[in-house]
């Protein structure tokens, strides 16, 4: 476990976690500071006998600084978050490893249909085979998923891989991951997609390379 997160089994999961905690701590700090300031102002400037109300126009630099200084600090922090996030986004979303194993995933109410290439190693040929709700992958291997939807918007979500991607009707969207630990992990839909949304669950089964080879032989025989 990493804090309150599910166990990370992805090669880029640690980068996602660090980015999350960076944003979390910055937002938490400013939230506490803002709430403390509100409470202080409520006490300091509460209505009291003998104290007259003053109308503050906010057109002097001393008064404007209460807005300009925090806004500048937050802008700098936001630019820092954008810079850190851009590096992670580029690694996860923009560059699919060219040597990745190909798998097709089609989302539809309310199931995941996973299509594997047959002996020729290519998707979209006659020797492909499909499984319902089971995504089998080898440990330590780059996996490229081509994601489609047959009906409405779904969201392909593997919490342990720190991976989430919407499946949009009419589009084929590529994503990739590399899982480092054998085991069975949850595949969920993270987008409300209809009455049976809560039943749209599958499993990601990570095999050792040897076990995956045996599994693949059984299904392509």
């Amino acid at each position: 476990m990493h804090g309150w997160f599910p166990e990370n089994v992805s090669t880029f999961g640690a980068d996602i976690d660090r980015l999350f905690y960076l944003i979390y701590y910055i937002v938490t700090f400013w939230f506490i500071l803002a709430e403390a300031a509100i409470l202080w102002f409520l006490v300091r400037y509460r209505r009291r006998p003998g104290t007259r109300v003053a109308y503050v126009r906010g057109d002097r630099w001393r008064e404007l600084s209460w807005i300009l200084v925090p806004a500048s600090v937050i802008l700098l922090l936001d630019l820092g978050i954008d810079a850190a996030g851009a590096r992670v986004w580029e690694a996860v979303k923009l560059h699919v490893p060219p040597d990745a194993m190909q798998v097709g995933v089609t989302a539809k109410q309310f199931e995941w249909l996973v299509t594997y290439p047959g002996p020729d190693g290519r998707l979209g040929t006659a020797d492909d085979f499909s499984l319902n709700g089971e995504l089998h992958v080898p440990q330590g291997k780059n996996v490229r998923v081509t994601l489609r939807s047959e009906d409405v918007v779904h969201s392909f979500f593997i919490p342990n891989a720190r991976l989430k991607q919407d499946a949009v009707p009419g589009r084929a969207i590529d994503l990739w991951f590399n899982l480092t630990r054998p085991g069975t992990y949850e595949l969920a839909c993270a987008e409300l997609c209809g009455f049976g949304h809560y039943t749209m669950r599958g499993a990601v089964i990570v095999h050792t390379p040897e076990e995956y080879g045996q599994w693949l032989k059984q299904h392509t025989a």
Side-chain angles (χ1 to χ4, degrees):
M1 297 293 289
H2 187 101
W4 60 81
F5 288 168
E7 176 189 20
N8 169 45
V9 297
S10 169
T11 52
F12 55 68
D15 292 332
I16 301 291
D17 289 348
R18 281 192 290 269
L19 182 60
F20 175 89
Y21 279 112
L22 174 66
I23 298 171
Y24 174 79
Y25 289 129
I26 289 175
V27 172
T28 299
F29 171 79
W30 283 99
F31 173 78
I32 294 174
L33 187 64
E35 295 302 310
I38 290 173
L39 291 175
W40 185 80
F41 286 132
L42 286 174
V43 175
R44 175 67 178 80
Y45 297 105
R46 69 188 185 277
R47 185 172 60 181
R48 290 174 290 182
T51 302
R52 297 187 62 182
V53 174
Y55 177 70
V56 180
R57 293 174 55 89
D59 54 1
R60 293 183 296 179
W61 283 112
R62 183 178 178 183
E63 297 161 352
L64 288 172
S65 65
W66 282 91
I67 300 298
L68 297 178
V69 171
S72 300
V73 173
I74 291 174
L75 177 61
L76 291 175
L77 290 172
D78 186 57
L79 292 175
I81 291 172
D82 287 345
R87 180 181 58 83
V88 177
W89 176 270
E90 183 176 3
V92 176
K93 296 290 187 179
L94 299 185
H95 297 296
V96 179
D99 63 341
M101 180 187 85
Q102 286 189 302
V103 177
V105 175
T106 301
K108 57 182 179 179
Q109 295 173 317
F110 298 98
E111 60 187 0
W112 302 101
L113 186 64
V114 184
T115 303
Y116 300 86
D120 64 1
R122 294 184 301 161
L123 279 176
T125 58
D127 61 354
D128 293 352
F129 67 97
S130 299
L131 295 176
N132 195 322
E134 293 184 16
L135 176 53
H136 293 259
V137 298
Q139 174 191 9
K141 175 72 174 177
N142 294 328
V143 179
R144 175 178 181 169
V145 175
T146 300
L147 187 62
R148 293 180 172 85
S149 173
E150 286 191 358
D151 37 43
V152 299
V153 175
H154 300 274
S155 187
F156 180 87
F157 182 34
I158 308 175
N160 295 89
R162 309 296 192 262
L163 180 65
K164 184 188 291 185
Q165 173 63 57
D166 283 355
V168 181
R171 291 187 59 189
I173 301 173
D174 285 336
L175 56 103
W176 76 278
F177 57 84
N178 186 321
L179 304 185
T180 60
R181 186 168 301 179
T184 300
Y185 306 100
E186 181 182 16
L187 168 60
C189 179
E191 182 74 31
L192 183 60
C193 57
F195 183 77
H197 164 69
Y198 69 98
T199 67
M200 191 167 174
R201 302 178 65 181
V204 180
I205 299 95
V206 183
H207 303 272
T208 63
E210 297 77 15
E211 291 173 345
Y212 182 80
Q214 295 172 1
W215 175 86
L216 191 60
K217 283 183 180 180
Q218 292 174 359
H219 285 79
T220 56

